[in-house]
Amino acid sequence: MNRMLPFRPHSDTTNSEQWVFSQLAEDPALDGYVILHSLGLARHKRKTYAECDFVIIGPLGVYCLEVKGGHVSRQNGAWTIGWPGKSYTSMEGPFKQAQSARGTLLHEVRTRLGKDLIRRVPFGWGVMFPDVQFVEQDPEWDQECIFDERDKELPVSDYLIKLAKYTLAHEASRGRKFQTPLSPRDIEAIVYSFRADFDLVPGITSLIRESHNELLSLSEEQYSSLETLLHPGNPRVICEGAAGTGKTVLAAEAARRLAQSGLRVLFLCFNRNLASLLQQQEFAKHKNITLHTIWGILYQLVGKAFPGQIPEGKQFKAVLAMAEEAAITATETGELNPYDVLVIDEAQDVLAPDVMNALDWFLNEGMSGGRWVMFLDTALQASVYNKLEDSLYSHLSSRAMNLKLSINMRNPVTIAREAAMVTGTTPPKCRRQFIAPVDYRTIHGAKTDHKVSMSLITQLISEGADPSDIVLLSFFAPSEAFYVGGYSSIGKKVHVLDGGNDDIPMGAIPAASIPAFKGLESEIVIIGDLPEREMNEWQVANFYVALTRARTAAYVICRQEHVDRRLSLVEG
């Protein structure tokens, strides 16, 4: 299976590039290749900044491809490219552009990895005109370097093979010979040397800007885990990681790739707000993916099988008691068509026998013989909902490939270490070295969490923070939380996240109980309603979850006693 980095085109990608992206992603002949889309070249010889549309890295070498969609013409040395009304003119032209990108890339690899690799690896270039037939002749290019409308009927790998043969022959005529295919180690070395320049994920004015400047790429650990869990030889996988290690990102990408290969995927999580957010993402719109909360899918199943029989009160327990029987009934009547793959995010919140017994019927060959992937955290986060049963986890773990994510990709290192210190957990390895200490705002005298939070919100917005960058998290239910009165005196509304699909109104500040925000994240987190006394295990778990939601800054509104306890931890 090839790797597309990033795994989907950027939002401003042209239609022509999107078409090429999909062809490269779906061509089975490119197994073992890594394809970089929109690779920035910051040290271009002639430009302040340049970009290569696609860099293909694989057994046949490294190839820079420029994609030019729409009409193409050259008059008096000036190239005009694009659809009417959206075209641009350039004196350089696509062929010189591709050649210069190839030269810059060659220089960068030589600088980063040394001359020895350059002597072994062919570097080529090509230009793709997917919308026109480009039959023009010129000393500036050879037809073997060109992909045009006539090639669209064939796999794109045919063009790459043609381009590689041309490149090797051209280099041989100049006395340079290369050994192909490249080894997987050489391919990974080249990919790794550029990983900081692609597949970028954006991480109060200067604070948020600094955070955004520290762009993150997926770690080697995450890439390796993704490849392992997608391999057909690993039909059952448990991927464990603490908060911020990218479990949901990997779950979404695994589901997308599995669906893209033709498998029907059921993606489940426990948190309604997380499910609502995921429903809006591109991967969830794939025709082969069904995304639900555990509660939602089982409630729907039981409601159809036993209409009117779900009792009032503790409905979740009642639904679980009837779920397996409802699944059997739905299977017998043909209403339940088992899925090829089950993907569960935050699985520690649903690992109970009644749940697994019901889900057994949703999966071809069941939980024992079917294909499934579970992402979970068996440590502190598992205490928030207390659904994890150790014996069941041990049973599943003994029958699955077990992977471990250890690198925190979300939190600034200072916030991650603070969360570990105040909750007594092991500090994680952090990719982000961005410095943003947790800011404790103490309550004195008649001051309340609401008053302090209002002052803090006013400060943050005055410094340039957008209200949507902030989330208010409480240890209490929304009806009793510090934000329940709203902030009309400063002209701001609070929008409580309740698992619905409604968008957050412009200018409103999102808010939730801490458990309801589990699995989500925000630039700025404000935490209030801390317990008056020393926290119990459940409260410690919630505090850990709350702190680790922050991508940029975390504020804690609390009594002086909490600050004193923290200081005692610092002093040992």
Side-chain angles (χ1 to χ4, degrees), residues 453-519:
S453 65
M454 182 165 61
S455 174
L456 179 54
I457 291 167
T458 302
Q459 173 194 330
L460 293 171
I461 292 176
S462 69
E463 292 178 358
D466 190 278
S468 64
D469 289 332
I470 304 168
V471 68
L472 309 174
L473 298 180
S474 171
F475 278 78
F476 298 162
S479 61
E480 302 173 345
F482 66 91
Y483 50 74
V484 69
Y487 301 94
S488 58
S489 62
I490 59 173
K492 295 300 171 188
K493 294 182 178 180
V494 171
H495 179 82
V496 176
L497 302 172
D498 61 1
N501 292 320
D502 55 319
D503 294 329
I504 299 172
M506 183 71 71
I509 302 171
S513 67
I514 295 171
F517 204 70
K518 190 169 174 291

Side-chain angles (χ1 to χ4, degrees), residues 105-245:
L105 194 66
L106 187 64
H107 173 73
E108 287 295 322
V109 174
R110 180 187 292 113
T111 300
R112 299 181 188 196
L113 300 178
K115 295 181 180 179
D116 179 64
L117 186 66
I118 295 299
R119 295 190 185 102
R120 293 187 280 112
V121 179
F123 281 73
W125 60 270
V127 180
M128 304 181 75
F129 301 103
D131 302 316
V132 298
Q133 291 189 19
F134 194 92
V135 296
E136 304 302 319
Q137 302 291 325
D138 192 283
E140 189 178 329
W141 63 81
D142 291 314
Q143 285 295 319
E144 289 85 352
C145 298
I146 296 169
F147 175 102
D148 67 16
E149 188 180 30
R150 295 167 296 175
D151 298 305
K152 293 175 75 171
E153 298 299 320
L154 300 173
V156 70
S157 54
D158 286 11
Y159 165 65
L160 291 176
I161 292 171
K162 179 180 73 171
L163 183 61
K165 288 181 179 178
Y166 166 79
T167 301
L168 291 170
H170 180 72
E171 293 294 321
S173 69
R174 302 170 67 184
R176 300 172 184 161
K177 294 186 178 181
F178 302 95
Q179 292 183 349
T180 56
L182 269 64
S183 69
R185 178 176 295 181
D186 285 341
I187 293 170
E188 285 303 315
I190 296 170
V191 172
Y192 183 76
S193 72
F194 284 97
R195 186 148 289 163
D197 290 347
F198 64 85
D199 196 22
L200 300 178
V201 184
I204 46 194
T205 57
S206 59
L207 190 62
I208 290 180
R209 281 199 299 272
E210 186 178 350
S211 178
H212 283 183
N213 286 336
E214 189 183 71
L215 298 173
L216 302 177
S217 63
L218 292 179
S219 68
E220 283 293 304
E221 178 181 71
Q222 287 176 307
Y223 283 121
S224 176
S225 297
L226 184 60
E227 290 176 352
T228 299
L229 63 88
L230 289 173
H231 195 284
N234 301 320
R236 289 168 290 284
V237 180
I238 290 178
C239 188
E240 184 176 353
T245 51

Side-chain angles (χ1 to χ4, degrees), residues 427-472:
K429 299 176 184 177
C430 290
R431 172 61 67 88
R432 305 188 64 200
Q433 297 303 305
F434 174 65
I435 304 301
V438 176
D439 189 336
Y440 288 84
R441 302 290 176 102
T442 53
I443 303 170
H444 298 286
K447 284 188 177 182
T448 65
D449 292 43
H450 184 271
K451 287 182 179 179
V452 174
S453 65
M454 182 165 61
S455 174
L456 179 54
I457 291 167
T458 302
Q459 173 194 330
L460 293 171
I461 292 176
S462 69
E463 292 178 358
D466 190 278
S468 64
D469 289 332
I470 304 168
V471 68
L472 309 174

Side-chain angles (χ1 to χ4, degrees), residues 335-447:
E335 291 184 49
L336 176 57
N337 183 15
Y339 292 84
D340 300 313
V341 187
L342 174 63
V343 177
I344 304 180
D345 189 29
E346 299 292 341
Q348 75 276 356
D349 299 331
V350 299
L351 275 185
D354 286 342
V355 176
M356 292 298 113
N357 288 339
L359 292 183
D360 195 64
W361 295 90
F362 282 83
L363 185 62
N364 278 325
E365 299 186 52
M367 297 299 296
S368 60
R371 185 168 187 179
W372 49 259
V373 185
M374 295 186 189
F375 297 83
L376 50 77
D377 179 2
T378 59
L380 203 53
Q381 287 194 96
S383 299
V384 174
Y385 291 117
N386 286 315
K387 301 292 184 181
L388 176 64
E389 296 203 13
D390 292 337
S391 59
L392 177 57
Y393 170 68
S394 298
H395 173 78
L396 293 173
S397 182
S398 66
R399 288 160 174 76
M401 166 72 73
N402 287 265
L403 302 176
K404 184 79 173 179
L405 297 174
S406 60
I407 300 174
N408 184 307
M409 305 293 289
R410 176 197 298 145
N411 307 127
V413 60
T414 44
I415 294 178
R417 288 176 179 171
E418 181 80 8
M421 181 186 70
V422 299
T423 59
T425 55
T426 303
K429 299 176 184 177
C430 290
R431 172 61 67 88
R432 305 188 64 200
Q433 297 303 305
F434 174 65
I435 304 301
V438 176
D439 189 336
Y440 288 84
R441 302 290 176 102
T442 53
I443 303 170
H444 298 286
K447 284 188 177 182

